């Protein structure tokens, strides 16, 4: 009798193991790392997203947390890279900046919408006269970047913002642009960016040396709204999506992903469906508008020495042709 019960128990364990492997390997899209479950509020989906093949870690928690950022950096390899793609040699700057933030949560505790449908809104001039505002506002998550304004452009780009990526030289300082429902995400490219955030939040004297443009001297966002992006997201954009070399020739300036490509990479890790708007540029006419706001022209894009525009356009073309994303501003 005892042997019979043991056989039943072992059979049950084996069946559970087989079912577990089948579900894990096929149609269940869970959050894999146990380490992240207490931090991550992404709801699991029953099907993989279209872009799942691009990701090494599905639904990676994108924001650093003060309590364990070093542990997470070690887990995902960020301790092996210096900024802008890791924390090595800058851990103290990360610690100081994170100590002044109030949360590292991804979504509000009452936000339980599973399988989120997201739109990443670029700042391209192609958004002009498209009247996509109402459509953009209908998404679960709306990701914007830098100082692309909503105010005065609601008909074209909508009113709502879930996440806004920024760096010190690109963040809003005019309180008219504040939205208390926006989570502002610092994308750190250098130790000075973290030092700047700490100085702004502590009311210290801000040293503006070492920035390519004068950084903001004040923040319109409160500490509870601010997060710091895990460098893993930027590293994945650079090395795995854009295929940049880890070492550039001495006669070339290193290239980094634009905030737009970083925003798309973020969306791949927190969304189930990703749509794009404002990522199409008219390179055939250098006098055409660069942004949907302001007077800058496409000629400025060609002068940019920090980004590889060709690589980014090829990447966008590839994910559109493979139906990984949908382009709302496609002619």
């Amino acid at each position: 009798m005892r042997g019979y019960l043991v056989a039943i128990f072992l059979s049950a364990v084996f069946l559970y193991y087989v079912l577990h492997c089948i579900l894990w390997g096929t149609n269940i899209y869970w959050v894999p790392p146990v380490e992240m479950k207490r931090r991550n509020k992404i709801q699991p989906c029953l099907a993989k997203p279209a872009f799942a093949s691009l990701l090494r870690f599905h639904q990676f928690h994108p924001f650093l947390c003060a309590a364990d950022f070093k542990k997470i950096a070690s887990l995902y390899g960020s301790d092996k890279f210096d900024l802008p793609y890791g924390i090595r040699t800058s851990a103290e700057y990360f610690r100081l900046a994170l100590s002044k933030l109030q949360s590292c949560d991804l979504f509000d505790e009452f936000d339980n919408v599973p399988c989120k449908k997201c739109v990443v809104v670029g700042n391209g001039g192609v958004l002009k006269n498209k009247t996509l505002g109402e459509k953009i506002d209908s998404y679960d998550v709306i990701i914007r970047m830098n100082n692309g304004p909503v105010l005065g452009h609601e008909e074209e780009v909508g009113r709502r913002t879930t996440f806004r990526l920024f760096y010190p030289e690109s963040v809003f300082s005019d309180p008219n642009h504040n939205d208390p429902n926006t989570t502002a995400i610092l994308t750190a490219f250098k130790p000075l960016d973290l030092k700047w955030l700490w100085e702004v939040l502590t009311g210290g004297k801000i040293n503006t040396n070492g920035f390519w443009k004068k950084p903001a001297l004040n923040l319109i966002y409160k500490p509870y709204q601010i997060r710091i992006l895990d460098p893993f997201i930027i590293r994945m954009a650079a090395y795995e999506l854009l295929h940049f070399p880890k070492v550039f020739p001495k006669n070339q300036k290193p290239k980094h992903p634009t905030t737009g490509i970083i925003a798309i990479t973020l969306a791949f890790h927190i969304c189930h469906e990703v749509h794009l708007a404002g990522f199409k540029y008219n390179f055939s006419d250098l006098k055409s508008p660069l942004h949907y706001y302001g007077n800058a022209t496409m000629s400025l894009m060609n002068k940019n020495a920090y980004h590889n525009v060709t690589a980014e356009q090829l990447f966008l073309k590839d994910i559109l042709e493979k139906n990984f994303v949908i382009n709302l501003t496609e002619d």
Side-chain angles (χ1 to χ4, degrees):
M1 182 67 176
R2 180 177 297 176
Y4 180 75
L5 291 174
V6 170
I8 292 176
F9 174 77
L10 291 176
S11 298
V13 170
F14 178 75
L15 180 62
Y16 172 83
Y17 174 79
V18 170
L19 288 173
H20 175 77
C21 291
I22 292 173
L23 291 175
W24 184 272
T26 55
N27 65 334
I28 299 297
Y29 191 66
W30 299 111
V31 181
V34 175
E35 292 284 346
M36 305 310 298
K37 286 185 178 178
R38 68 175 183 81
R39 299 152 50 98
N40 210 332
K41 296 187 178 181
I42 306 170
Q43 298 299 311
C45 296
L46 294 179
K48 293 179 181 180
F51 47 79
S53 60
L54 295 176
L55 307 182
R56 278 199 296 132
F57 304 110
H58 299 304
Q59 297 181 302
F60 175 85
H61 186 90
F63 306 144
L64 295 179
C65 299
D68 64 355
F69 78 95
K70 286 185 179 180
K71 182 178 180 181
I72 296 301
S74 176
L75 185 63
Y76 292 100
S78 292
D79 59 343
K80 297 177 176 62
F81 296 86
D82 294 334
L83 275 171
Y85 307 143
I87 74 159
R88 185 177 62 184
T89 73
S90 299
E92 183 60 19
Y93 288 102
F94 278 102
R95 187 193 67 77
L96 283 172
L98 287 166
S99 71
K100 296 302 175 184
L101 304 186
Q102 296 177 2
S103 174
C104 62
D105 289 346
L106 181 53
F107 297 114
D108 184 272
E109 61 180 319
F110 302 109
D111 183 351
N112 293 314
V113 177
C115 307
K116 286 182 166 54
K117 189 174 180 179
C118 306
V119 61
V120 183
V121 184
N123 295 332
V126 68
L127 280 165
K128 282 191 172 186
N129 304 318
K130 288 290 194 297
T131 61
L132 284 171
E134 187 174 348
K135 172 72 173 176
I136 289 171
D137 279 340
S138 70
Y139 285 80
D140 299 316
V141 173
I142 303 166
I143 303 176
R144 305 184 194 270
M145 60 227 55
N146 302 326
N147 53 357
V150 167
L151 190 66
H153 301 273
E154 293 87 351
E155 189 174 357
E156 294 166 329
V157 300
R159 300 173 181 275
R160 296 176 48 234
T161 304
T162 313
F163 299 115
R164 183 178 289 274
L165 281 70
F166 73 91
Y167 48 90
E169 297 94 334
S170 75
V171 67
F172 285 125
S173 56
D174 182 350
N176 288 323
H177 292 287
N178 185 32
D179 176 0
N181 297 314
T182 294
T183 297
I185 307 169
L186 174 65
T187 308
F189 287 94
K190 51 190 180 296
L192 278 177
D193 295 347
L194 297 161
K195 186 171 183 288
W196 164 86
L197 180 61
W198 182 76
E199 289 172 345
V200 167
L201 294 176
T202 57
K205 184 179 179 180
I206 299 172
N207 186 348
T208 59
N209 294 326
F211 295 91
W212 65 268
K213 188 175 79 171
K214 186 177 180 180
L217 301 180
N218 63 286
L219 269 178
I220 63 173
Y221 304 107
K222 303 297 183 184
Y224 76 87
Q225 294 177 267
I226 301 170
R227 307 288 188 272
I228 296 178
L229 189 68
D230 192 311
F232 171 82
I233 296 290
I234 317 174
R235 189 167 74 250
M236 181 180 175
Y239 297 150
E240 299 185 30
L241 301 186
L242 297 178
H243 305 293
F244 287 173
K246 289 187 170 65
V247 178
F248 282 83
K250 290 184 178 180
N251 61 343
Q252 287 186 26
K253 288 186 177 180
K255 307 293 184 183
H256 302 299
T258 59
T259 316
I261 298 299
I262 296 169
I264 293 172
T265 309
L266 168 65
F268 284 164
H269 287 84
I270 65 174
C271 306
H272 189 258
E273 187 175 342
V274 176
H275 293 187
L276 308 179
F279 278 87
K280 186 176 180 179
Y281 296 99
N282 183 8
F283 289 96
S284 62
D285 182 5
L286 297 183
K287 293 183 180 180
S288 63
L290 176 59
H291 300 135
Y292 66 84
Y293 59 92
N295 300 314
T297 64
M298 283 300 303
S299 59
L300 287 178
M301 182 69 86
N302 280 355
K303 295 176 183 177
N304 197 309
Y306 296 99
H307 306 302
N308 186 331
V309 178
T310 301
E312 297 205 357
Q313 291 297 303
L314 288 173
F315 166 70
L316 290 169
K317 182 174 182 288
D318 184 57
I319 61 175
L320 286 166
E321 288 179 348
K322 291 177 178 176
N323 295 315
F324 289 170
V325 300
I326 291 175
N327 186 7
L328 301 182
T329 43
E330 189 70 54
D331 291 332

